[in-house]
Amino acid sequence: MIASSASRAALLRLSGRQFSSTPAAANIDKLGVIGLGLMGHGIAQVAASAAATNGIHSSIVAYETDDAFLEKGRDRIQKSVDKLVSKQKLNAGQAEALMSKLTFTTDRGALGDTDMIVEAIIENMDLKKQLYSDLGKECKPETIFASNTSSLSITEMALASGRADKFVGVHFFNPVQIMKLVEVIKTDHTDPAAFNTAMKWVEQIGKVGVTCKDTPGFIVNRLLVPNLVQAISLVERGDASTKDVDLSMQLGAGHPMGPLHLADYIGLDTCLFIMEGWVKDFPDEKAFMVPDSLKKMVEANELGRKTGKGFYHWDGDKRGDPVE
């Protein structure tokens, strides 16, 4: 969802704060993570693990908007760490060192002196833009902002922040603790020094960074989501069954799971949200389309794994037979 050149120019005319003479932080000593949900808690944990192992961070500020969300995020990290201890992948001392790097807070002021902030809140552009507008005024001038969005425009958020030169995307994949890839996104405004710092940080926490410009879906989702939509369309037209579509991509293309299995796992509502946004913003892009059957399944709350029924029946994270 890249802002048009006209809207970018208008936003730049309205703001005199887009670029500053203050250089971006060169090293990420103090990290902030905003949002401790599915992605954010994993990012905080991985950063804390690296900090405890190689000392890249003195501390990680883990921020949520209220105590209930904060405690849920803390519990998610603690349970994940405890699981690693039970599997003897960490000892008790290492687990304690990891958790000690995290400072959990609902005080947004604690983020003010961080060197970089990774945002992982809900995929709502208005909320993100307001957050970045506020952070741009509250954080020290050197702070780099990094959004974990999977489909929204980095440029639009960057311009809202008032420091577009210190803004990047860092798109992690779920589960963060396991998946190695991070897409590091730069806009036309990103200062190379800020981008290089973000890329270096990704490598320091044990991930593999790939570079992409601010294009819809970046690399993975730009290729993946239209593929899922084409699989849904095959079934919608009656050209092939759910079982045969997935089996074909597993045995014929070497994919670990079929596209309909994956769509269910991701969430059909998420697939619809991404594609509807792209269709709205890029109506001339023929690869972007929304199957009617996908809309109907979401309207019926058949979202896949998260509701127990989509293209397959689900029992928690365990996939059952295809829905007939």
Side-chain angles (χ1 to χ4, degrees):
M1 301 179 186
I2 311 307
S4 68
S5 58
S7 64
R8 283 200 297 265
L11 281 165
L12 283 169
R13 286 195 299 271
L14 288 171
S15 174
R17 302 183 299 116
Q18 294 306 322
F19 306 97
S20 73
S21 59
T22 305
N27 294 296
I28 312 302
D29 177 57
K30 188 174 183 180
L31 178 74
V33 178
I34 298 180
L36 300 178
L38 181 66
M39 301 301 293
H41 92 275
I43 295 168
Q45 180 184 331
V46 166
S49 178
T53 302
N54 60 30
I56 65 166
H57 303 307
S58 62
S59 65
I60 294 123
V61 179
Y63 168 80
E64 264 292 3
T65 53
D66 64 41
D67 289 331
F69 289 137
L70 188 71
E71 289 307 310
K72 186 174 182 180
R74 188 204 308 264
D75 186 56
R76 275 177 152 167
I77 295 173
Q78 188 66 65
K79 285 181 177 178
S80 179
V81 171
D82 290 345
K83 188 174 182 179
L84 292 173
V85 172
S86 70
K87 292 183 175 182
Q88 298 184 331
K89 293 184 177 181
L90 287 179
N91 60 42
Q94 291 169 325
E96 184 178 354
L98 186 159
M99 294 301 296
S100 73
K101 291 292 183 180
L102 292 160
T103 299
F104 296 91
T105 185
T106 57
D107 176 15
R108 200 164 75 187
L111 297 164
D113 64 345
T114 54
D115 299 301
M116 184 167 82
I117 293 174
V118 180
E119 165 269 311
I121 68 170
I122 188 171
E123 291 283 71
N124 180 299
M125 179 59 86
D126 289 338
L127 288 178
K128 288 179 186 283
K129 286 168 66 175
Q130 184 60 58
L131 172 64
Y132 283 120
S133 177
D134 293 340
L135 290 173
K137 301 164 189 171
E138 297 166 357
C139 294
K140 66 181 183 180
E142 298 86 355
T143 304
I144 297 169
F145 295 158
S147 178
N148 179 58
T149 184
S150 63
S151 64
L152 299 179
S153 166
I154 301 297
T155 301
E156 197 170 341
M157 288 182 275
L159 293 172
S161 76
R163 55 177 78 185
D165 56 329
K166 299 181 184 70
F167 204 110
V168 298
V170 285
H171 180 215
F172 288 77
F173 292 82
N174 181 44
V176 175
Q177 294 91 330
I178 295 173
M179 300 293 279
K180 297 290 287 186
L181 185 70
V182 179
E183 294 173 321
V184 186
I185 313 304
K186 57 185 175 182
T187 75
D188 292 342
H189 311 295
T190 306
D191 179 68
F195 180 82
N196 290 338
T197 296
M199 181 66 85
K200 178 183 174 184
W201 173 75
V202 165
E203 295 170 354
Q204 287 176 319
I205 63 171
K207 300 300 184 182
V208 177
V210 294
T211 302
C212 186
K213 292 183 179 180
D214 188 17
T215 186
F218 315 135
I219 299 172
V220 173
N221 281 341
R222 182 63 175 267
L223 297 172
L224 178 63
V225 176
N227 172 260
L228 303 184
V229 166
Q230 286 299 317
I232 293 169
S233 296
L234 274 171
V235 174
E236 179 181 291
R237 293 193 301 265
D239 294 337
S241 68
T242 295
K243 177 183 176 181
D244 286 348
V245 167
D246 279 355
L247 193 61
S248 295
M249 294 308 292
Q250 286 179 276
L251 301 185
H255 292 191
M257 67 174 70
L260 299 170
H261 180 175
L262 181 57
D264 264 10
Y265 187 85
I266 293 169
L268 300 183
D269 54 335
T270 301
C271 296
L272 179 63
F273 172 82
I274 293 172
M275 191 52 79
E276 282 188 331
W278 290 353
V279 168
K280 177 183 176 182
D281 289 352
F282 302 95
D284 296 329
E285 174 55 71
K286 294 181 180 179
F288 299 160
M289 47 89 73
V290 180
D292 289 338
S293 60
L294 178 59
K295 293 181 183 178
K296 291 176 182 177
M297 292 175 77
V298 172
E299 288 171 0
N301 201 39
E302 296 175 358
L303 310 182
R305 175 178 58 95
K306 65 179 73 175
T307 59
K309 182 181 179 183
F311 287 98
Y312 292 88
H313 295 285
W314 290 82
D315 181 8
D317 287 343
K318 184 178 179 182
R319 195 205 78 186
D321 292 331
V323 173
E324 298 296 336

